Amino acid sequence: MSNRAALVARSLGAFVLATAALSAPAPGQTGGPAAPDHRPWWSVTLTENSDFAAPPASAAPDAVPSWRVVAGAPRVERRAVEAAGGPATIGTLVLPAGSVVEQPIALPAESVRWMTLHVHNEDANTVVVVGDEAGREVRLSISSPDDRKRARSEPGAPDIGEIIDLASLDGWGGAPPTPRLRLRVEVADGAEETRVGMVRVETRFDVPDEAALRAELVAELDWIFSLWLERGLDRVGPRETAFLSTAFDALTGAPLAYLDGGAHPFYALLGRALQVEPNARWRAAYDAYLTDLFALAFHPDTGLPRVWNVRSDQPDDETPREVAYAFGHLLDIAEDGPEEWRDRALAQAVRIGDAVLAKGVLPDGEVAARYRPRDGEPNTSYPPLRRLDVPAELARLGAMTGDDRYTAAARDAFAQFEFTHFWPGNWEAIDPGFDDNYGHYGARAVEAWEAHPDEAAFRNVAEGGARHYMPIWRDALQLGGNIAADQVRCWRILRDVAELEPSLTEAVADLVELAARNHYRGQQYADGTWGDVTIYRFDPKAHLEVGDLPGLPRNLVEGLAFAHDADLGLDTPEMRALFTSAFRVSRDHYKREFGYLSTRTESPGANPAGGGVRLAPGLVEMLHQLEDSAR
């Protein structure tokens, strides 16, 4: 599966659909309102490391994985046992007097009323506290196993049992708890310690079947695409084109700005959607775009990409441009686009490749990322993260044409990079080493490796970076390190690495599942919505100067779609439930009449409708994943 799909889109919209009540009563209940449409549900565990059996973190072996230590010196005792499925580990949380651990819980509002708490403890010294974002909390003194046995045999005996219906308890002030909560485990006053084998919170999520989810996603994508094709196209200047160049307001639909035209991620996304949903209107728009792309967006002499000024209807042939995006876009069309456009796309890509080889290979083996369209002069004023962008596309072009000149230039650039580069970061500060360095260099390396599976220069960067970061990443996820929202790009890279190196599949699957659940709980705000925001100590940290866009959670939705992967064994109802809830809550919160907000709330001035094209890549990715699961 090509990593190129990660590059499509950055803006657009969603319609508000009230979520229906779940259809069946919670486990152990016989009443409760039933939804008229009888929507299916799935029981989801909301807590991480509920049984304390997770392996110790290599960087902090005495820590309690996935829990925050609030006070004291808690520890975990682990012992190996033989189970029906083979060797297993049993964990016990030991809390000395004064020790407290906690973790956040995230869920959609519709699932709050079904929450149940499950506790296995060894004594009567365990106190569990559940608090919400409104400052309310319930405190539960958990009885001992012997007391529970006596309560079951003696009518009238007090019983705070192993399974507790949380939403119905006193302490919430007559209103349901908020969708984001905190679960805390303490030692009873006066006790020397308590020993706990499990603290787990479960609830039920609405889980549409795959056909129903597919239909819901297609409908939303059609709304997003249609809106942008109506309001976002170039309709200024003497010549109208199919370029997506008009930014408009999500509340009023009024134009806000006119941008240059050219190769655009919206159409790359539309083309990828057409691979799984052959919609005639989408296809007509895509064909119109490709017609204008080939006529206007490449210099006739050099073949290099350029932009089109939609106001003057003139090209800009002077300003140096990074060429990798347009180069890769052409190769995507040549590989997977409509049959009638493939030869033309490949021919145009060859022209770019020849222009790069003619002037862009630098003395140290690096390949320039930027070129002046009119004469192909390279420009080396570009961020270092771009240094492998063009070599990756040269490697793909070499594989598609059989011309080793392109592959050789790519091989030299990757070898030069490997010789001089090191991977920075530790579990407390894994980023920007992981999300940016590996997220860019690893992505380019896996593209090249997919094109040349036997080429060590490409493999060494992709697999070497994966093996370096995987143990550090596990510690960061389990210990509450600084986790950037855009680490999601690395999930895709590791998924693709595991496809090329199957010995890593099990470890990658475990990490992607852990990361998906970590981002789901860590990027939820107090009001129950999600945003693209950095996570620290398992909570969202907005307003950091790290380039976050704390509005619509593009990375979370797309990441949960990545994670729903059949090859990793993660195409499960639970992963589909997490994806569906994040998508629906985001749709209901961010969608307006003329598109999706990109920001968390409406602004008094302009409100660009950028959120929809940020949301759409995750919806398209999920359509592809659902098709893969059905095979």
Side-chain angles (χ1 to χ4, degrees):
M1 195 175 295
S2 172
N3 199 59
R4 284 288 309 170
L7 298 179
V8 295
R10 291 282 188 275
S11 293
L12 209 319
F15 77 90
V16 177
L17 177 67
T19 47
L22 297 171
S23 61
Q29 293 185 352
T30 57
D37 56 359
H38 303 289
R39 293 166 78 171
W41 56 268
W42 190 261
S43 180
V44 175
T45 297
L46 302 174
T47 39
E48 300 302 316
N49 193 22
S50 305
D51 59 1
F52 309 104
S58 59
D62 294 332
V64 183
S66 298
W67 293 78
R68 288 192 292 251
V69 175
V70 178
R75 68 182 188 276
V76 175
E77 295 179 355
R78 301 174 181 86
R79 66 182 189 276
V81 297
E82 284 297 326
T89 299
I90 292 178
T92 299
L93 173 68
V94 182
L95 293 177
S99 296
V100 180
V101 296
E102 70 174 11
Q103 66 171 275
I105 294 171
L107 68 162
E110 66 174 8
S111 297
V112 166
R113 64 189 177 118
W114 305 113
M115 289 189 303
T116 56
L117 171 68
H118 305 244
V119 181
H120 292 174
N121 55 320
E122 298 180 11
D123 49 55
N125 303 329
T126 306
V127 176
V128 176
V129 183
V130 182
D132 75 356
E133 294 290 344
R136 300 168 297 180
E137 66 178 32
V138 293
R139 295 181 63 88
L140 303 167
S141 296
I142 308 299
S143 56
S144 71
D146 289 341
D147 291 339
R148 289 196 290 272
K149 289 179 183 177
R150 187 164 54 253
R152 287 193 287 268
S153 62
E154 299 177 11
D159 178 24
I160 296 183
E162 295 178 337
I163 302 178
I164 302 164
D165 180 1
L166 285 176
S168 66
L169 294 173
D170 293 336
W172 301 121
T178 63
R180 186 170 183 83
L181 302 107
R182 297 177 313 284
L183 175 68
R184 195 161 70 244
V185 186
E186 305 178 354
V187 187
D189 290 342
E192 292 186 1
E193 72 171 22
T194 189
R195 299 174 64 86
V196 187
M198 183 182 73
V199 181
R200 184 177 74 235
V201 176
E202 293 181 353
T203 192
R204 57 175 57 180
F205 279 44
D206 181 24
V207 187
D209 64 34
E210 295 189 357
L213 178 58
R214 186 187 192 283
E216 188 174 350
L217 299 180
V218 168
E220 193 62 23
L221 282 168
D222 192 49
W223 188 87
I224 293 171
F225 290 156
S226 298
L227 184 68
W228 277 86
L229 292 171
E230 175 188 354
R231 294 182 176 273
L233 299 186
D234 164 24
R235 294 295 179 260
V236 296
R239 175 175 180 168
E240 295 184 350
T241 71
F243 292 138
L244 202 76
S245 61
T246 305
F248 55 92
D249 193 282
L251 275 60
T252 66
L256 298 175
Y258 300 102
L259 310 176
D260 290 331
H264 198 286
F266 173 87
Y267 283 108
L269 183 66
L270 186 65
R272 191 160 187 256
L274 281 166
Q275 295 169 18
V276 290
E277 178 64 20
N279 181 296
R281 287 183 296 105
W282 300 357
R283 176 59 194 276
Y286 190 61
D287 285 343
Y289 159 72
L290 291 180
T291 298
D292 285 339
L293 181 74
F294 287 115
L296 305 174
F298 299 99
H299 193 280
D301 297 330
T302 65
L304 289 167
R306 63 187 184 184
V307 296
W308 184 259
N309 185 308
V310 297
R311 286 182 176 275
S312 65
D313 284 316
Q314 295 294 323
D316 178 358
D317 291 328
E318 292 298 322
T319 305
R321 302 286 172 186
E322 292 183 16
V323 302
Y325 180 79
F327 197 177
H329 185 35
L330 292 168
L331 294 175
D332 289 344
I333 297 167
E335 280 186 323
D336 299 315
E339 193 69 39
E340 56 268 40
W341 291 103
R342 292 185 180 186
D343 288 346
R344 187 167 184 182
L346 183 59
Q348 189 69 53
V350 166
R351 296 197 66 195
I352 296 175
D354 288 345
V356 167
L357 292 186
K359 295 186 176 182
V361 179
L362 305 179
D364 64 354
E366 188 172 324
V367 178
R370 303 181 73 193
Y371 299 82
R372 188 164 56 200
R374 67 173 172 82
D375 58 8
E377 278 300 308
N379 181 295
T380 57
S381 178
Y382 51 84
L385 286 176
R386 301 285 183 246
R387 63 192 295 193
L388 294 182
D389 288 5
V390 175
E393 307 309 337
L394 288 174
R396 295 177 66 201
L397 181 62
M400 294 175 69
T401 62
D403 190 333
D404 191 58
R405 293 179 304 140
Y406 307 121
T407 305
R411 184 188 301 118
D412 290 347
F414 274 88
Q416 188 267 353
F417 169 84
E418 185 187 9
F419 182 73
T420 60
H421 185 71
F422 75 98
W423 300 111
N426 54 47
W427 76 264
E428 292 178 290
I430 191 173
D431 298 319
F434 187 49
D435 71 324
D436 286 342
N437 284 28
Y438 188 66
H440 285 83
Y441 299 140
R444 305 294 86 78
V446 83
E447 283 182 48
W449 186 16
E450 285 174 329
H452 301 273
D454 297 325
E455 181 55 63
F458 308 142
R459 176 178 189 144
N460 291 347
V461 175
E463 185 182 351
R467 291 188 183 276
H468 175 84
Y469 277 116
M470 285 169 64
I472 302 173
W473 188 32
R474 178 179 292 280
D475 284 353
L477 294 170
Q478 289 188 321
L479 298 176
N482 199 76
I483 305 294
D486 59 2
Q487 278 190 10
V488 161
R489 64 167 69 106
C490 298
W491 307 5
R492 176 187 282 277
I493 298 167
L494 293 174
R495 186 185 69 181
D496 293 345
V497 167
E499 187 173 324
L500 291 160
E501 179 45 68
S503 67
L504 292 175
T505 299
E506 183 177 352
V508 168
D510 288 346
L511 280 168
V512 168
E513 182 177 24
L514 180 63
R517 292 177 59 88
N518 190 290
H519 282 237
Y520 185 87
R521 70 168 175 166
Q523 292 182 301
Q524 188 189 44
Y525 296 121
D527 63 359
T529 62
W530 280 271
D532 256 357
V533 63
T534 295
I535 306 164
Y536 179 66
R537 298 198 74 209
F538 313 119
D539 277 332
K541 295 297 178 186
H543 312 301
L544 298 178
E545 297 297 325
V546 293
D548 283 347
L549 298 173
L552 186 142
R554 176 256 167 89
N555 282 294
L556 176 65
V557 173
E558 189 171 20
L560 293 172
F562 290 160
H564 188 275
D565 188 83
D567 291 337
L568 296 179
L570 297 179
D571 55 338
T572 62
E574 177 172 309
M575 195 62 70
R576 197 160 66 251
L578 298 180
F579 170 87
T580 302
S581 62
F583 156 58
R584 288 177 175 170
V585 169
S586 299
R587 179 186 61 193
D588 296 348
H589 180 75
Y590 293 99
K591 189 174 184 178
R592 298 297 186 270
E593 182 178 359
F594 297 103
Y596 281 83
L597 298 173
S598 289
T599 52
R600 288 184 64 185
T601 58
E602 294 177 10
S603 300
N607 288 274
V613 178
R614 288 179 54 78
L615 179 67
L619 310 191
V620 173
E621 177 66 24
M622 192 56 149
L623 288 181
H624 278 264
Q625 296 284 42
L626 293 174
E627 180 163 288
D628 290 346
S629 295
R631 288 174 181 164

